[in-house]
Amino acid sequence: MRNNITEKYWSRFPDTYDKKMEYVVGKELLDEIIQELNRLPELGELVEFGCGTGIYTEAIVSKTESMFATDLSDSLLAVARKRIDDHPKVTIQKENCMATSFPSEAIDSVFMANLIHVVEGPSTLLEECYRILRKGGTLVIVTFTDKDMILWEKIKMGLRFVKSWGKPPAHTHSFSPDDLGSMMTHAGFTIETSKVLGNKTKAVYIIGQKT
Ligand SMILES: C[S@@+](CC[C@H](N)C(=O)[O-])C[C@H]1O[C@@H](n2cnc3c(N)ncnc32)[C@H](O)[C@@H]1O
């Protein structure tokens, strides 16, 4: 039931999703995230959770041997499929990131962008990442946050969000690097990189290794 509500929420605007995203958080931050992903080392076989329309799938695929781009929303996956257009390295499939069909300890890297701050159980999501990753595997998380944003920018971003999406999803968190870092440590990851990206709008960027 809850999955249906989440799926419905995110599936409403497949054709205008990218424009809305850019309007709410700004192109500057989206570009900075992509630049950061371009600096990642080789990530082997990777699973992306919550790929949406595939904005970051396109950016990260060159760092992988092969990848699965997954999401709960059929309509967003359809847009991702068009964008990725039969890329030989990418398999697009529907998955609930809280309990996926991937076998345990089978995957080199997991990546998620702007997902963990909107799920009901962030710890459960991190446990699922831990389960499917091989020992020594890499977890890359980037996720919007309003921590460290000045009040006026927070208000403006909130208004842009409501104008574009209406009411925010039921479970929206705002993590600092420390919040997310301690959840990841608790789930069994060693933190390698942790920083805040962005100027007016912000995202936490954090990389951990399964130990
Ligand atoms: C804010 S959007 C981010 C999409 C994309 N990563 C991006 O940055 O443009 C959140 C995405 O997470 C997906 N999502 C939410 N809950 C999910 C779940 N339990 N399993 C898989 N995907 C989920 C939504 O369908 C949506 O595509």
Side-chain angles (χ1 to χ4, degrees), residues 6 10 17 21 50-52 56 71-72 76 95-97 113-115:
T6 304
W10 291 108
Y17 177 93
M21 186 63 99
C51 69
Y56 299 103
D71 200 284
L72 199 57
L76 296 185
E95 293 282 352
N96 175 2
C97 63
N114 309 315
L115 171 68

Side-chain angles (χ1 to χ4, degrees), residues 116 119-127 139 141 173 175-189 191 206:
I116 196 162
V119 297
E120 183 177 358
S123 305
T124 309
L125 171 53
L126 292 175
E127 280 161 22
L139 173 60
I141 299 181
H173 320 265
F175 294 117
S176 68
D178 283 352
D179 297 335
L180 208 47
S182 51
M183 281 172 59
M184 284 170 68
T185 306
H186 188 74
F189 293 93
I191 306 304
I206 189 158

Side-chain angles (χ1 to χ4, degrees), residues 3 6-11 17-18 21 30 33 48-57 70-74 76-77 83 94-100 111-120 125 142 144 161 165 169:
N3 286 343
T6 304
E7 183 177 353
K8 267 196 190 146
Y9 184 91
W10 291 108
S11 297
Y17 177 93
D18 292 9
M21 186 63 99
L30 300 183
I33 293 172
E48 179 181 5
F49 287 161
C51 69
T53 60
I55 299 174
Y56 299 103
T57 312
T70 71
D71 200 284
L72 199 57
S73 160
D74 289 313
L76 296 185
L77 285 172
R83 183 197 296 269
K94 184 166 180 162
E95 293 282 352
N96 175 2
C97 63
M98 311 301 262
T100 68
F111 166 65
M112 65 182 89
N114 309 315
L115 171 68
I116 196 162
H117 74 278
V118 297
V119 297
E120 183 177 358
L125 171 53
V142 60
F144 301 134
F161 188 97
W165 297 92

